[in-house]
Amino acid sequence: MADLSKQFRYDTSGEWFKGNTHSHSTASDGGKTFLELADLYHSAQYDFMFRTDHWVCSDVENDDEEYPILWLDGIELDGHAEDGEYFHVVCLGKLKSIVREDGLDGAIAKAQEQGALTILAHPVWLGNSLDDCSRWNLDGVEIYNHVCHWMNGKSNGLAHFNAGLSEKSGFLGFASDDTHLQPGFPGWNGGWIWVNLKEINRKAIYKAIRSGNYYSSCGPEIHSMEFDGKFLNLKTSPIQFARLSGFRSEGQRIGAWDGSLIEEFSMELPVDWKYVYLEIEDECGRRAWTNHLFTEK
């Protein structure tokens, strides 16, 4: 029986648009200009990107340059919290008057007061604890960070994602590039999100991300995803495995080790779990992840 206190999160009746939520340009420590980044990502079929240079409040509306993708505002904050621990926090949204002199705690408070969505960046790479997911009432965490994968393999934030979900069902997960495109950090197009929209514009993108109507990926694609009250019905790119992941050891899975692939399938969705998200994996081991599939009414 369906749990009437919960509502299925996803509406996939629109179109899917590809975007990167974490990028750096020559405005901070990146190796390419906004135009060079836009041209490069457009060549990989990206539709939008966020400007998240370190301690730089971007201002895309007053940028008169013509770009082949849609730019959105953001900032990355880095530094020591009041207790001495070190963090990076990506903030998505139009922000102003945030400077290093605010300190990390003060800057995060300012960003949240201005309505930004706040994301704990590459927590394993920095050695952030699982408890840190509940600091500052952050909105989400990076499940995958591509530049950290390049540097030392510490790219996977799934444990932190689960820790956040165990405390807050609306906690969001993100796959990102953390693009720098310098000789020592050349990686790009390794982690992204797909947002489902009726039409693409900045307001719609912000709204969809905040509501969790997107999924994160390092390769596999979800074409449609519907819940009929009992079963989750999906169409995807060819994948080898699909898993429903819940609290602690809760889980379900389909797929085979013989190399056979699936593209259309259904899974009975447990509505009584504390949280549940979908993970799919292709034959190359690349994965994609939804957010928690339900919201509280």
Side-chain angles (χ1 to χ4, degrees), residues 206-260:
Y206 281 124
K207 182 178 179 181
I209 293 176
R210 183 164 289 281
S211 68
N213 196 37
Y214 69 90
Y215 69 93
S216 299
S217 182
C218 296
E221 296 181 12
I222 297 173
H223 300 316
S224 68
M225 179 168 48
E226 298 177 352
F227 179 53
D228 63 13
K230 184 176 182 180
F231 289 96
L232 182 65
N233 305 302
L234 295 112
K235 295 180 181 179
T236 67
S237 59
I239 61 170
Q240 190 168 2
F241 303 107
R243 307 176 183 96
L244 294 174
S245 297
F247 185 59
R248 294 181 178 171
S249 63
E250 291 175 329
Q252 296 180 16
R253 68 223 54 85
I254 62 171
W257 291 104
D258 61 7
S260 59

Side-chain angles (χ1 to χ4, degrees), residues 15-264:
E15 295 183 51
W16 291 105
F17 296 92
K18 185 180 181 181
N20 180 24
T21 58
H22 192 170
S23 60
H24 298 281
S25 73
T26 52
S28 64
D29 60 341
K32 292 188 179 296
T33 66
F34 293 132
L35 182 56
E36 290 171 327
L37 284 170
D39 287 340
L40 186 64
Y41 275 82
H42 177 67
S43 72
Q45 289 76 54
Y46 280 73
D47 301 292
F48 65 92
M49 292 178 69
F50 282 85
R51 298 180 178 180
T52 57
D53 283 298
H54 289 273
W55 293 96
V56 177
C57 293
S58 63
D59 188 8
V60 298
E61 290 186 357
N62 288 314
D63 183 348
D64 295 328
E65 182 71 67
E66 292 290 330
Y67 297 102
I69 64 169
L70 185 64
W71 279 108
L72 292 92
D73 284 312
I75 190 173
E76 183 173 11
L77 309 175
D78 61 88
H80 295 276
E82 292 176 350
D83 64 0
E85 293 296 319
Y86 189 66
F87 298 91
H88 285 205
V89 176
V90 171
C91 306
L92 306 183
K94 174 62 179 173
L95 300 166
K96 60 182 180 180
S97 303
I98 293 178
V99 294
R100 284 189 183 272
E101 288 71 22
D102 293 322
L104 183 64
D105 294 86
I108 292 171
K110 274 189 175 182
Q112 291 175 327
E113 288 168 2
Q114 295 180 53
L117 191 145
T118 51
I119 305 162
L120 184 64
H122 41 65
V124 176
W125 186 70
L126 285 177
N128 302 141
S129 74
L130 298 183
D131 291 338
D132 288 327
C133 291
S134 59
R135 281 184 184 244
W136 303 296
N137 194 29
L138 297 176
D139 296 294
V141 67
E142 288 183 340
I143 294 174
Y144 176 82
N145 182 292
H146 194 54
V147 75
C148 292
H149 180 72
W150 165 265
M151 288 189 289
N152 64 357
K154 293 188 175 183
S155 58
N156 191 321
L158 277 172
H160 290 76
F161 181 47
N162 280 270
L165 282 173
S166 69
E167 299 294 328
K168 183 168 66 173
S169 63
F171 199 68
L172 302 172
F174 295 84
S176 74
D177 268 350
D178 196 356
T179 314
H180 286 74
L181 287 167
Q182 295 185 13
F185 310 102
W188 71 287
N189 193 28
W192 55 87
I193 65 171
W194 286 99
V195 176
N196 200 274
L197 306 170
K198 297 295 192 296
E199 60 178 333
I200 185 169
N201 57 64
R202 293 188 180 105
K203 183 178 180 180
I205 292 171
Y206 281 124
K207 182 178 179 181
I209 293 176
R210 183 164 289 281
S211 68
N213 196 37
Y214 69 90
Y215 69 93
S216 299
S217 182
C218 296
E221 296 181 12
I222 297 173
H223 300 316
S224 68
M225 179 168 48
E226 298 177 352
F227 179 53
D228 63 13
K230 184 176 182 180
F231 289 96
L232 182 65
N233 305 302
L234 295 112
K235 295 180 181 179
T236 67
S237 59
I239 61 170
Q240 190 168 2
F241 303 107
R243 307 176 183 96
L244 294 174
S245 297
F247 185 59
R248 294 181 178 171
S249 63
E250 291 175 329
Q252 296 180 16
R253 68 223 54 85
I254 62 171
W257 291 104
D258 61 7
S260 59
L261 303 180
I262 52 178
E263 298 180 62
E264 187 169 355

